[in-house]
């Protein structure tokens, strides 16, 4: 066992996790009918005869859902099956009027593949078993019905891609990193809107523990983790619970559990004894799903550069640290914004700092996406160029950013806009060494006590003098230059 593996042990146990994720596909209509999938409609206004399972209706495959499955398969290096099969998964529940869910069982459309991500500076890969197409069920509503329950079938027939991993994940931190990377991939290629509150991206975590080298332990499945924060809490609780059980001499029973965010605990919903036998069989109403190789190649030709590939390119081409590259590839819009500003200014690292700091802070405060940033990539490049050539200090850059953000720039080329604002706001850094020397002399004369302290070996007194000079220059002195002049004067 490697040092890293050993460091992941919890009380001497190895944690083993496999994920099943339901990603709602971003089609306009349902997987087997033409009803709309828009979220938030009045109950039962978006369920047509097919979704209601009225006798005599037949499902018709939505090509857009298949295309999205192909895109996913290509994004994660899977085999896209030439021929896959729809199967009926039989069970009874009030929100499933057909009495079965159409899914894929023996031959799924997407087979194999892997999702890679960084955890700190360690690269980790999680193998995928499969991803299959299926329909969602309706929803039971238990509020506002005077003690009765209502059924809303709007969600029935919504297209889902269920993405299943091998049990390759070894900690709650890895689980969250995997889920975030998967979320990034499906939203990046645009097959899912990724909205976790609305249930568009739902994760189930299968968790077991074992002594290192032992066969796999019995797993319990935590259902419907709809936030990354709850995911980590739920898995951490579950791992401790299982270890305590085993240490107390019990065996883990296979079960499905729910996480309660109020108590921070997982609670069994059903055990294996209650598990349904789904009696899967091929759906006679749907022919095998045939995917021509031409179709796969057409989709491949239109695939965007993927986030991990882009991040690696940012490291190679712009010398960015891995952390910066990963942060800047959160969305295609952010990657493009960085790249444009980096190319225009030739200052990739400075641009990266500004996007991760000042720009992100302002975007978050305004709940804006970078695509809606009031400051364009070209304006950021112009600002950064003036910091790089010492025209303005970093602090003056922030004031300049405020002005740009507030839309104070006059019409014109970005560099001309930025230069005009530097002029009109008097942000120019003092680069005249004669003027700076005069200020330094004044400050030294007025602060004899600090000078004496510095000469007596107090480093702090020097910083106080730097502060005084910056203040006397109204913040326009170049801090590096102030340091030099002060050191020279103090001998
Ligand atoms: P089922 O058919 O009951 O859904 P699968 O074999 O499809 O079971 O596994 C479902 C998920 O559980 C997969 O992500 C798989 O990696 C994971 N898994 C299977 N066995 C274990 C285990 N012992 N511990 C943790 N995860 C597991
Ligand atoms: Mg399964």
């Amino acid at each position: 066992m490697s040092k890293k593996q050993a460091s992941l042990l919890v009380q001497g146990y190895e944690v083993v996790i496999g994920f099943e994720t339901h990603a709602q596909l971003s089609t306009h209509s349902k997987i087997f009918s033409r009803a709309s999938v828009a979220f938030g409609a009045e109950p039962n206004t978006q369920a047509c005869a097919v979704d209601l399972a009225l006798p005599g209706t037949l499902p018709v495959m939505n090509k857009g859902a298949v295309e999205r499955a192909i895109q996913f398969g290509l994004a994660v290096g899977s085999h896209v099956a030439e021929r896959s099969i729809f199967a009926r998964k039989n069970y009874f529940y009030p929100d499933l009027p057909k009495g079965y869910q159409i899914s894929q069982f023996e031959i799924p459309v997407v087979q194999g593949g892997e999702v890679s991500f960084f955890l700190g500076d360690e690269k980790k890969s999680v193998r995928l078993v499969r991803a299959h197409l299926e329909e969602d069920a309706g929803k039971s509503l238990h509020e506002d019905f005077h003690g009765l329950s209502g059924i809303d079938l709007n969600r029935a027939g919504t297209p889902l891609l269920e993405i299943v991993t091998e049990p390759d994940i070894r900690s709650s931190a890895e689980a969250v990193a995997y889920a975030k990377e998967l979320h990034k991939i499906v939203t990046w290629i645009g097959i899912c809107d990724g909205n976790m509150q609305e249930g568009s991206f739902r994760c189930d975590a299968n968790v077991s523990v074992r002594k290192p080298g032992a066969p796999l332990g019995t797993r319990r499945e935590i259902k419907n983790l709809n936030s990354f924060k709850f995911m980590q809490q739920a898995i951490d609780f579950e791992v401790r619970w299982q270890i305590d059980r085993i240490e107390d001499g019990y065996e883990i029973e296979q079960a499905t559990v729910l996480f309660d965010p109020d108590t921070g605990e997982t609670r069994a919903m059903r055990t294996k004894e209650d598990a349904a036998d789904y009696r899967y069989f091929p759906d006679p109403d749907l022919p095998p799903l045939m995917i021509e190789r031409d179709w796969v190649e057409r989709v491949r030709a239109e695939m965007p550069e993927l986030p991990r590939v882009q991040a690696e390119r940012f490291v190679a081409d712009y010398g960015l640290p891995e952390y910066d590259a990963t942060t800047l590839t959160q969305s295609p819009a952010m990657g493009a914004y960085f790249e444009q500003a980096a190319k225009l200014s030739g200052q990739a690292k400075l641009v990266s700092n500004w996007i991760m700091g000042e720009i992100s802070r302002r975007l978050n405060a305004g709940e804006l996406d970078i695509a809606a940033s009031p400051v364009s990539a070209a304006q950021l490049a112009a600002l950064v160029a003036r910091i790089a050539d010492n025209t303005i200090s970093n602090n003056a850059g922030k004031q300049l950013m405020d002005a740009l953000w507030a839309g104070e720039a006059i019409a014109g080329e970005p560099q001309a806009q930025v230069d005009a604002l530097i002029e009109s706001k008097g942000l120019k850094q003092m680069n005249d060494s004669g003027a700076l020397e005069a200020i330094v002399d004044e400050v030294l004369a007025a602060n004899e006590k600090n000078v004496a302290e510095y000469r007596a070996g107090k480093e702090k007194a020097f910083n106080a003098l730097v502060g005084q000079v910056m203040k006397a220059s109204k913040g326009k002195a170049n801090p590096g230059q102030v340091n030099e002049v002060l050191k020279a004067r103090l001998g």
Side-chain angles (χ1 to χ4, degrees):
M1 156 166 295
S2 75
K3 223 170 152 189
K4 191 202 159 222
Q5 281 172 311
S7 72
L8 283 175
L9 295 184
V10 182
Q11 294 169 240
Y13 287 84
E14 184 183 30
V15 176
V16 176
I17 304 170
F19 258 68
E20 293 166 286
T21 303
H22 288 91
Q24 181 179 321
L25 297 174
S26 57
T27 55
H28 298 293
S29 54
K30 293 189 174 171
I31 187 167
F32 301 119
S33 83
R34 295 172 67 174
S36 167
V37 297
F39 182 82
E42 283 294 302
N44 299 310
T45 56
Q46 287 180 170
C48 71
V50 174
D51 310 322
L52 295 173
L54 296 190
T57 56
L58 285 172
V60 177
M61 184 71 226
N62 178 340
K63 203 173 165 192
V66 179
E67 177 136 332
R68 284 164 180 77
I70 298 173
Q71 286 175 298
F72 178 76
L74 294 177
V76 294
S78 312
H79 173 63
V80 177
E82 271 114 334
R83 178 174 173 279
S84 61
I85 304 288
F86 286 100
R88 291 185 179 181
K89 179 178 179 177
N90 298 280
Y91 67 96
F92 171 78
Y93 205 72
D95 63 18
L96 187 74
K98 284 203 299 291
Y100 60 86
Q101 176 195 26
I102 305 178
S103 181
Q104 295 193 301
F105 186 55
E106 271 165 5
I107 310 179
V109 58
V110 169
Q111 306 171 359
E114 67 176 22
V115 172
S116 303
F117 50 90
F118 274 85
L119 195 62
D121 48 17
E122 192 112 20
K123 188 168 178 176
K124 168 88 193 172
S125 288
V126 172
R127 291 167 299 154
L128 300 183
V129 180
R130 59 191 276 157
H132 62 254
L133 286 163
E134 63 183 27
E135 60 179 347
D136 209 344
K139 263 185 202 164
S140 300
L141 304 172
H142 303 294
E143 303 121 45
D144 303 331
F145 292 100
H146 311 286
L148 302 175
S149 286
I151 307 285
D152 175 9
L153 290 169
N154 282 352
R155 203 179 63 181
T158 296
L160 301 176
L161 189 67
E162 178 175 344
I163 303 154
V164 184
T165 77
E166 297 283 358
D168 283 352
I169 298 165
R170 290 292 172 273
S171 69
S172 61
E174 275 185 20
V176 172
Y178 161 77
K180 284 187 172 169
E181 186 66 28
L182 185 67
H183 185 268
K184 193 184 325 194
I185 292 170
V186 297
T187 54
W188 186 285
I189 63 178
I191 65 166
C192 171
D193 70 19
N195 189 325
M196 293 175 82
Q197 281 85 46
E198 291 178 5
S200 303
F201 186 85
R202 318 194 283 265
C203 293
D204 305 338
N206 295 270
V207 180
S208 67
V209 299
R210 64 174 170 187
K211 288 282 181 182
L216 285 180
T218 303
R219 68 193 153 103
R220 304 210 315 159
E221 178 176 5
I222 316 172
K223 277 278 180 206
N224 275 341
L225 294 165
N226 64 357
S227 93
F228 295 122
K229 191 174 132 214
F230 293 160
M231 190 178 289
Q232 177 120 25
Q233 289 177 359
I235 294 170
D236 285 340
F237 176 86
E238 179 62 27
V239 166
R240 279 195 310 272
W241 186 89
Q242 289 188 16
I243 293 173
D244 286 349
R245 276 302 275 183
I246 295 169
E247 290 288 310
D248 287 348
Y250 295 97
E251 282 190 358
I252 301 296
E253 238 191 300
Q254 191 170 331
T256 305
V257 308
L258 277 182
F259 176 66
D260 180 350
D262 294 330
T263 61
E265 298 183 354
T266 52
R267 193 163 21 84
M269 228 168 103
R270 54 175 184 264
T271 57
K272 203 182 175 191
E273 271 85 297
D274 325 321
D277 171 3
Y278 294 122
R279 293 152 37 239
Y280 280 101
F281 64 87
D283 192 313
D285 288 343
L286 283 158
L289 173 60
M290 305 300 294
I291 300 178
E292 307 258 345
R293 295 303 91 180
D294 288 3
W295 189 7
V296 176
E297 290 317 311
R298 277 201 305 281
V299 173
R300 194 194 303 279
E302 283 165 19
M303 288 290 284
E305 182 179 39
L306 293 165
R308 187 99 297 283
V309 176
Q310 187 170 81
E312 276 160 23
R313 193 166 59 73
F314 285 177
V315 171
D317 291 2
Y318 299 100
L320 286 189
E322 188 64 50
Y323 175 81
D324 294 43
T326 304
T327 310
L328 293 171
T329 49
Q330 290 308 313
S331 68
M334 183 168 282
Y337 188 96
F338 161 76
E339 190 152 33
Q340 195 192 342
K343 275 193 178 140
L344 286 170
S345 65
Q347 298 289 338
K349 181 56 183 149
L350 254 184
V351 165
S352 165
N353 293 348
W354 274 80
I355 296 177
M356 295 195 303
E358 295 298 313
I359 301 242
S360 291
R361 191 165 57 69
R362 287 173 169 81
L363 290 174
N364 291 342
E367 291 187 14
L368 287 176
D369 187 84
I370 194 146
S373 167
V375 173
S376 69
Q379 286 174 319
L380 174 63
L383 177 154
V384 158
R386 287 298 175 251
I387 294 175
D389 71 7
N390 282 322
T391 303
I392 58 171
S393 68
N394 206 58
N395 262 331
K398 291 182 194 170
Q399 283 171 258
L400 181 54
M401 179 57 77
D402 284 334
L404 288 169
W405 204 267
E408 289 178 31
I410 44 126
E413 288 295 305
Q415 196 66 65
Q417 293 179 326
V418 159
D419 291 347
L421 279 173
I422 291 173
E423 205 57 55
S424 68
K425 300 218 165 265
L427 295 174
K428 220 178 219 155
Q429 190 154 248
M430 185 182 292
N431 286 321
D432 171 352
S433 57
L436 178 60
E437 279 164 14
I439 292 177
V440 167
D441 288 340
E442 275 171 39
V443 166
L444 290 180
N447 293 278
E448 279 171 9
K449 193 170 153 243
N450 282 333
V451 174
E453 282 176 4
Y454 172 71
R455 294 222 156 99
K458 262 197 174 172
E459 208 45 48
K460 262 198 187 145
F462 185 80
N463 296 336
L465 289 169
V466 172
Q468 290 293 331
V469 174
M470 290 306 294
K471 199 170 154 200
S473 77
K474 301 198 173 68
K476 290 180 196 165
N478 174 333
Q481 217 180 355
V482 172
N483 265 286
E484 275 171 34
V485 174
L486 263 176
K487 286 233 162 88
R489 277 290 195 275
L490 290 166

